[in-house]
Amino acid sequence: MGDQRNQVIKGSPSQYVKLNIGGFLYYTTIRTLTKVDCMLRAMFSGKLEVLTDSEGWVLIDRCGLHFGTILNFLRDGNVALPTENRALAELLAEAKYYCIEELAESCERALDIKKKEIQPICRVPLITSPSEENFLITSSTKPVVKLLINRHNNKYSYTPTSDDNLLKNIELFDKICLRFSGRILFIKDVIGSSEICCWSFYGNGKKVAEVCCTSIVYTTDKKHTKVEFPEARIYEETLHTLLYENRQNPDAELLQATSTIRSGAINYTSDEEDACGLARLRSNKQNNAPTPKAE
C-alpha cells in the first residue's frame, strides 16, 4: 500500500481531497468537508492531523458505505434517509462518529417513528391476473399454498352445509397463514377456474398437490354444489410443501415417508366415495378371513 504518514491538511475551500474510507473512495472539496461544525471540519481545516498514503489518499478507518449520504447532507443541509431500519441505524452511527448532530437527530427521529409503526405479521397477495399468479409462484423462494375461492361464479345451488364448509376453508387458510407465513408463501385467488373452493400446493415453482373441496351432487330436480372441508388433508399437504423449503429438490426419503402414492397432483375423493371404499375394505377382510376349523 506504500508509505503512510500523518499530516495536516489545510487549503483553499475549492481544493479537492481524496478520501479512502474503509475501501470506499470519495472525491470532494474542503468546502464541503468544513461546511458543518463537526469532526470533518477539524480534520480538514488544519486542526487535526490525518493519515495519508503515498498516493495522497486520506485514510479513515470507518465503513464508507453511507459516507456518500453524509457528503450530500454536508452539501445541501438535508438528505433523503434510508427506509430500512438497519441502514438507518448504520447511518446514525456514522453521523455520531463524525459529530454531525443535525443528521444524527434526524436519524433518531426516523427510527422512533418506525418503532411506532405496526408491521403486519404476514401478507397474503390477492391474485388479479393469471400472469401475476404465475410470476409469484415461479419466482418465490418458498413453497406456495394457494386457495381458490370463486363463490360468485357458480350457476348451481348449494347443499345445506356448503356455505358453512366454505367459511371453514377460509378460516383454516387464515390460521395456517399465521402459523407458517415465514416459511410458506400464501396467496388467494378469486378470479381462477370454475372451481368454487380448491387448494393448490407448489414446490420449486411446480404444482405438487391439489385438494379440491367442491363436487356436483345430482338430485331429481336440479344440480347442487357440495363444498367439503377436508381439514386433515389440507394440513397434510401444507406440511408436505415444507419438504421443498430451502431445497432444490425435496428429500426423497422424507417425501416417501410422509406421502401416499402420487402421480402428479392429488385429486381427493368425496366423503361418500371414502365411505364406499371403507365398506369395500371391510367386506374384503370378512371374505378373506380364515374359517374356524371343526374340532
Side-chain angles (χ1 to χ4, degrees), residues 3-258:
D3 296 333
Q4 297 178 0
R5 62 190 178 93
N6 290 321
Q7 72 175 83
V8 173
I9 294 181
K10 187 175 183 180
S12 65
S14 60
Q15 179 182 333
Y16 274 82
V17 290
K18 302 185 295 184
L19 305 175
N20 183 341
I21 305 176
F24 289 80
L25 306 180
Y26 295 94
Y27 196 53
T28 188
T29 64
I30 290 180
R31 177 183 288 108
T32 297
L33 295 170
T34 58
K35 195 171 185 179
V36 174
D37 186 12
C38 62
M39 181 187 293
L40 292 170
R41 173 183 284 183
M43 294 172 64
F44 293 95
S45 61
K47 295 180 181 180
L48 294 177
E49 289 185 337
V50 296
L51 182 66
T52 62
D53 63 13
S54 59
E55 297 180 356
W57 288 92
V58 177
L59 306 177
I60 299 178
D61 187 20
R62 295 292 294 180
C63 176
L65 179 62
H66 301 290
F67 194 75
T69 303
I70 290 175
L71 286 179
N72 286 333
F73 178 82
L74 296 177
R75 293 175 181 124
D76 303 328
N78 58 74
V79 72
L81 298 178
T83 56
E84 295 183 359
N85 285 4
R86 179 174 177 176
L88 195 54
E90 291 172 350
L91 179 59
L92 171 61
E94 297 306 303
K96 286 184 174 181
Y97 175 79
Y98 294 111
C99 302
I100 308 175
E101 295 182 1
E102 187 177 349
L103 178 58
E105 291 173 357
S106 297
C107 292
E108 289 175 341
R109 286 194 297 269
L111 284 172
D112 288 340
I113 293 173
K114 284 184 170 293
K115 288 179 181 179
K116 297 176 182 178
E117 292 178 351
I118 298 176
Q119 296 294 331
I121 296 175
C122 63
R123 294 182 174 89
V124 179
L126 184 64
I127 297 301
T128 59
S129 67
S131 59
E132 181 185 27
E133 175 185 340
N134 182 67
F135 174 78
L136 286 171
I137 292 172
T138 56
S139 63
S140 174
T141 57
K142 302 176 184 178
V144 178
V145 173
K146 184 190 76 169
L147 174 62
L148 167 68
I149 297 292
N150 205 11
R151 175 72 167 82
H152 61 279
N153 190 26
N154 178 45
K155 58 184 178 181
Y156 306 125
S157 60
Y158 285 79
T159 63
T161 60
S162 289
D163 285 333
D164 185 46
N165 284 337
L166 186 64
L167 292 175
K168 286 181 179 179
N169 277 281
I170 297 173
E171 182 182 5
L172 178 61
F173 180 81
D174 293 340
K175 289 181 177 179
I176 296 178
C177 285
L178 291 175
R179 183 174 179 182
F180 295 108
S181 61
R183 304 174 64 184
I184 297 174
L185 172 63
F186 292 90
I187 58 179
K188 190 172 287 186
D189 184 3
V190 295
I191 63 167
S193 66
S194 59
E195 295 293 347
I196 306 302
C197 180
C198 185
W199 296 71
S200 300
F201 305 85
Y202 300 84
N204 297 333
K206 298 180 180 179
K207 183 184 288 188
V208 296
E210 182 178 278
V211 179
C212 184
C213 302
T214 55
S215 58
I216 302 300
V217 179
Y218 295 91
T219 61
T220 55
D221 53 346
K222 56 183 177 180
K223 299 177 183 178
H224 293 273
T225 299
K226 179 180 181 181
V227 179
E228 299 167 334
F229 179 53
E231 182 177 9
R233 295 167 180 168
I234 295 166
Y235 263 119
E236 180 184 14
E237 293 303 341
T238 301
L239 295 177
H240 280 154
T241 63
L242 293 176
L243 298 176
Y244 293 84
E245 185 181 25
N246 301 323
R247 300 174 185 270
Q248 291 298 321
N249 294 296
D251 187 300
E253 294 182 0
L254 284 175
L255 193 61
Q256 183 177 3
T258 57

